[in-house]
Amino acid sequence: MPGPEVAHVHRRVELAKRESRNRHPGGVLWFTGLSGAGKSTLAFALEECLFNDGYQVYVLDGDNLRGGLSSDLRFTHIDRTENIRRAGQVAALFANAGLICIAAFISPYRSDRATAATNAKRFHEIYIRADLPTCERRDPKGLYKLARAGEIKNFTAIDDVYEEPEHPAFVVDTTELTIEQSLASLTGFVAKHFPLRRDG
């Protein structure tokens, strides 16, 4: 908890004014799923699609965050929890600025995702689902191969758990759907929950 020397500073520009200028509500789309499920691929594709349509949108990607803000963290349970705590706080800042933040993180623990959800006014947990055999076949970064060989420890779904969302706001099953189909379903979800005002 912050000490007595930390005081909350109130903003002079309200969220409603920011959202009015952006012509859509702000919020967080939290993509969770196994490595190789397609989170980053879909996050950046959705970002481009929404941006081209007039949305103010930004992707927070797990790998990118670990190259900067979370570069001091490893992959222990404690460090994973701290990584998601930081990511949730940053995502909420984007949402509070009236943007849509697409946060793409494995985020394997339900409790961590629940904590992230408390930070933003509009938070939607989106399960990018693909079964383990499919993710291992894809293995875009070669991580599963290294984990199976014992060269990577605490790897999600190999020697650490992945706790599936119990009540996600939306599910995209990339085992069954193509990238194009997955993207179409996601844009439909955004249009419903973050309507874009076309006037002005």
Side-chain angles (χ1 to χ4, degrees), residues 33-96:
L34 297 179
S35 177
K39 298 181 301 300
S40 293
T41 297
L42 290 174
F44 286 109
L46 181 61
E47 177 190 44
E48 182 179 30
C49 183
L50 295 179
F51 182 83
N52 289 340
D53 201 31
Y55 284 89
Q56 297 298 317
V57 56
Y58 192 81
V59 170
L60 278 183
D61 181 74
D63 285 344
N64 291 349
L65 201 72
R66 280 189 174 273
L69 182 62
S70 292
S71 61
D72 59 319
L73 301 178
R74 306 302 296 170
F75 289 90
T76 64
H77 192 128
I78 292 174
D79 280 4
R80 284 178 181 273
T81 292
E82 173 60 15
N83 184 50
I84 297 307
R85 188 194 70 80
R86 295 179 189 182
Q89 292 286 344
V90 173
L93 290 174
F94 278 105
N96 290 337

Side-chain angles (χ1 to χ4, degrees), residues 100-123:
I100 293 175
C101 180
I102 306 169
F105 294 83
I106 294 173
S107 47
Y109 311 127
R110 292 190 188 109
S111 61
D112 293 346
R113 299 193 300 265
T115 298
T118 65
N119 295 321
K121 180 180 178 181
R122 299 181 188 89
F123 182 100

Side-chain angles (χ1 to χ4, degrees), residues 34 131-137 139 142-160:
L34 297 179
D131 57 40
L132 180 59
T134 297
C135 292
E136 287 204 68
R137 281 196 303 271
D139 203 9
L143 300 179
Y144 284 101
K145 184 177 180 180
L146 292 173
R148 290 292 188 188
E151 296 181 40
I152 297 179
K153 302 298 183 183
N154 304 316
F155 194 78
T156 301
I158 302 300
D159 57 356
D160 198 1

Side-chain angles (χ1 to χ4, degrees), residues 119-195:
N119 295 321
K121 180 180 178 181
R122 299 181 188 89
F123 182 100
H124 299 278
E125 182 182 50
I126 297 179
Y127 183 18
I128 308 299
R129 182 168 60 196
D131 57 40
L132 180 59
T134 297
C135 292
E136 287 204 68
R137 281 196 303 271
R138 292 171 179 168
D139 203 9
K141 304 170 190 174
L143 300 179
Y144 284 101
K145 184 177 180 180
L146 292 173
R148 290 292 188 188
E151 296 181 40
I152 297 179
K153 302 298 183 183
N154 304 316
F155 194 78
T156 301
I158 302 300
D159 57 356
D160 198 1
V161 299
Y162 177 76
E163 299 173 346
E164 293 189 356
E166 295 180 313
H167 304 289
F170 198 59
V171 178
V172 178
D173 192 334
T174 65
T175 303
E176 303 292 337
L177 301 177
T178 65
I179 292 176
E180 292 75 17
Q181 291 169 330
S182 299
L183 183 59
S185 67
L186 286 166
T187 55
F189 180 88
V190 172
K192 178 180 178 181
H193 293 278
F194 297 87

